[in-house]
């Protein structure tokens, strides 16, 4: 483990994980260059459903690496971290793409399923297609929060064959132990703020899914769900082949299989992340030699804001993509 691989120090005016998380998401500066512009493509999935893929329009040299970002729960190419990574890619001459998980691009997907934290089969066909369509570009992949857990699950499942598709992977603030993260987000301030925010987006989409596929789940029970455990028990787990939430969180977690990874992999987690208890983070003894652990004391959940300007405000969030991006580039 190299906890100082990203020697992050939070601004004095943002004490604590919640402040660092919320400022980054709501008020931070995301880019130094022009606002990222996107070209959207629709990809048909192996089961006939679709995802939407946004590719940054900035120029990159022929043969330059392609950086693929897998977003977090209810995220998109508009999320602050996606914009910041796009800005990093533009500044460093990299091609950049954000594949949206099903239902996250602004249009509900068609199949009686959505996406989940251990969706490594989805990661697999997406990365294989990127590799096939960009034969002259080395692929690098980063996953944020949920997307990072799914990416690490993919790397573990693929083992040595992952190197046929990517040169290196990274996860940022991912709940690699889903049970620990799921229980943490369901308590106290987290439940009042973050759980309410996520359910405020996920429940309406689930109800639209029920209109598409009547009888898919119990509508009244879903409306009564007050935390992610209950939502996953009624929606996420059964729709994706899991017995219940406990089965889903157990089987989908990347932490137990990190030792199987055979490509360079970085796991960055702040130890004050409100969603991911520090006690649940992997230790050097639990990962193989291919996995690097960065666990700075501060940063929040996909926060890592940095002071900017004479008075230290407003902060920006380009430092984390800079550190993670250069780590990935070092493994080409």
């Amino acid at each position: 483990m190299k906890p100082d691989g990203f020697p992050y120090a939070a601004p004095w005016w943002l004490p604590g994980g919640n402040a660092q998380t919320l400022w980054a998401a709501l008020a931070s500066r995301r880019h130094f260059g022009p606002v990222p512009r996107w070209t959207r493509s629709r990809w048909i999935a192996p089961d006939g459903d679709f995802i939407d893929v946004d590719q940054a329009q900035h120029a990159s040299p022929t043969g330059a690496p392609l950086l693929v970002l897998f977003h977090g729960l209810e995220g998109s190419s508009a999320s602050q971290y996606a914009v910041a990574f796009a800005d990093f890619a533009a500044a460093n001459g990299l091609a950049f793409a954000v594949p949206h998980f099903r239902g996250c691009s602004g249009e509900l997907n068609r199949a009686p399923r959505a996406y989940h934290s251990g969706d490594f089969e989805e990661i697999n066909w997406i990365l294989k297609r990127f590799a096939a369509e960009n034969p002259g570009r080395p692929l690098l992949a980063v996953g944020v929060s949920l997307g990072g857990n799914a990416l690490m699950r993919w790397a573990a499942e693929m083992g040595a064959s992952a190197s046929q598709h990517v040169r290196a992977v990274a996860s940022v603030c991912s709940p690699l132990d889903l049970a620990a993260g799921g229980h943490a987000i369901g308590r106290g301030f987290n439940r009042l703020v973050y759980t309410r925010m996520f359910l405020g987006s996920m429940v309406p989409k689930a109800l639209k899914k029920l209109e598409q596929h009547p009888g898919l789940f119990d509508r009244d029970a879903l409306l009564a769900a007050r935390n992610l455990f209950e939502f996953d028990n009624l929606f996420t787990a059964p729709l994706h082949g899991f017995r219940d939430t406990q089965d889903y969180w157990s089987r989908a977690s990347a932490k137990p299989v990190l030792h199987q990874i055979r490509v360079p992999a970085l796991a960055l987690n702040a130890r004050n992340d409100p969603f991911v208890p520090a006690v649940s983070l992997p230790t050097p003894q639990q990962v193989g030699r291919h996995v690097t652990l960065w666990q700075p004391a501060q940063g929040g959940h996909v926060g890592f804001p940095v002071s900017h300007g004479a008075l230290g405000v407003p902060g920006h969030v380009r430092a984390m993509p800079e550190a993670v991006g250069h780590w990935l580039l070092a493994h080409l």
Side-chain angles (χ1 to χ4, degrees):
M1 180 172 69
K2 297 180 180 178
D4 297 326
F6 178 33
Y8 173 75
W12 63 266
W13 45 273
L14 282 175
N18 285 310
Q20 292 156 24
T21 300
L22 293 170
W23 180 274
L26 300 175
S28 63
R29 179 177 180 179
R30 292 100 187 272
H31 55 90
F32 295 149
V35 177
R37 298 183 181 277
W38 308 97
T39 297
R40 176 161 292 186
S41 303
R42 178 153 293 184
W43 290 7
I44 302 303
D47 63 357
D49 200 3
F50 71 89
I51 65 166
D52 288 325
V53 178
D54 283 355
Q55 301 197 47
Q57 293 181 0
H58 64 254
S60 61
T62 301
L66 167 61
L67 176 59
V68 179
L69 181 141
F70 294 97
H71 62 75
L73 184 64
E74 296 299 276
S76 72
S77 60
S79 297
Q80 92 273 4
Y81 51 82
V83 173
F85 267 105
D87 192 50
F88 167 82
N92 289 273
L94 312 179
F96 183 71
V98 181
H100 291 86
F101 290 119
R102 303 191 194 200
C104 290
S105 64
E107 182 176 340
L108 195 66
N109 64 303
R110 304 186 190 107
R113 59 153 292 174
Y115 65 102
H116 64 87
S117 296
D119 212 353
F120 63 86
E121 293 96 342
E122 196 89 328
I123 301 287
N124 190 45
W125 80 263
I126 290 172
L127 287 177
K128 283 186 174 180
R129 177 158 174 175
F130 273 122
E133 293 187 352
N134 298 271
R137 293 186 184 275
L139 254 63
L140 303 168
V142 58
V144 175
S145 196
L146 174 150
N149 184 79
L151 178 62
M152 294 298 236
R153 282 285 286 114
W154 172 81
E157 289 289 330
M158 296 293 288
S161 64
S163 62
Q164 298 174 14
H165 310 294
V166 299
R167 299 291 184 89
V169 298
S171 67
V172 177
C173 296
S174 298
L176 303 170
D177 180 338
L178 290 172
H183 290 305
I185 202 172
R187 294 192 294 261
F189 179 85
N190 288 351
R191 179 171 180 169
L192 291 174
V193 177
Y194 307 118
T195 294
R196 183 174 296 179
M197 175 189 70
F198 284 130
L199 291 181
S201 171
M202 295 160 66
V203 169
K205 282 167 49 171
L207 294 176
K208 290 180 181 177
K209 183 64 62 181
L210 186 61
E211 293 176 6
Q212 281 183 327
H213 303 278
L216 197 59
F217 55 83
D218 185 327
R219 183 178 187 276
D220 292 338
L222 186 85
L223 289 172
R226 292 295 176 265
N227 53 50
L228 294 186
F229 184 95
E230 295 173 358
F231 180 90
D232 285 345
N233 216 40
L234 291 159
F235 184 82
T236 313
L239 265 63
H240 301 98
F242 300 99
R243 183 178 63 253
D244 53 24
T245 298
Q246 291 179 327
D247 182 46
Y248 163 41
W249 287 356
S250 174
R251 289 169 52 199
S253 292
K255 182 180 175 181
V257 294
L258 291 175
H259 65 279
Q260 298 174 199
I261 292 177
R262 295 293 182 270
V263 292
L266 170 67
L268 166 61
N269 291 91
R271 300 188 72 84
N272 70 346
D273 188 327
F275 299 0
V276 183
V279 69
S280 73
L281 296 179
T283 65
Q285 294 73 33
Q286 294 172 317
V287 305
R289 65 182 179 85
H290 298 277
V291 179
T292 298
L293 302 177
W294 287 356
Q295 296 175 358
Q298 301 182 67
H301 186 74
V302 202
F304 305 105
V306 177
S307 292
H308 180 73
L311 299 178
V313 293
H316 68 79
V317 289
R318 272 283 272 104
M320 180 273 288
E322 192 81 18
V324 173
H326 280 298
W327 185 92
L328 289 167
L329 288 172
H331 289 85
L332 286 175

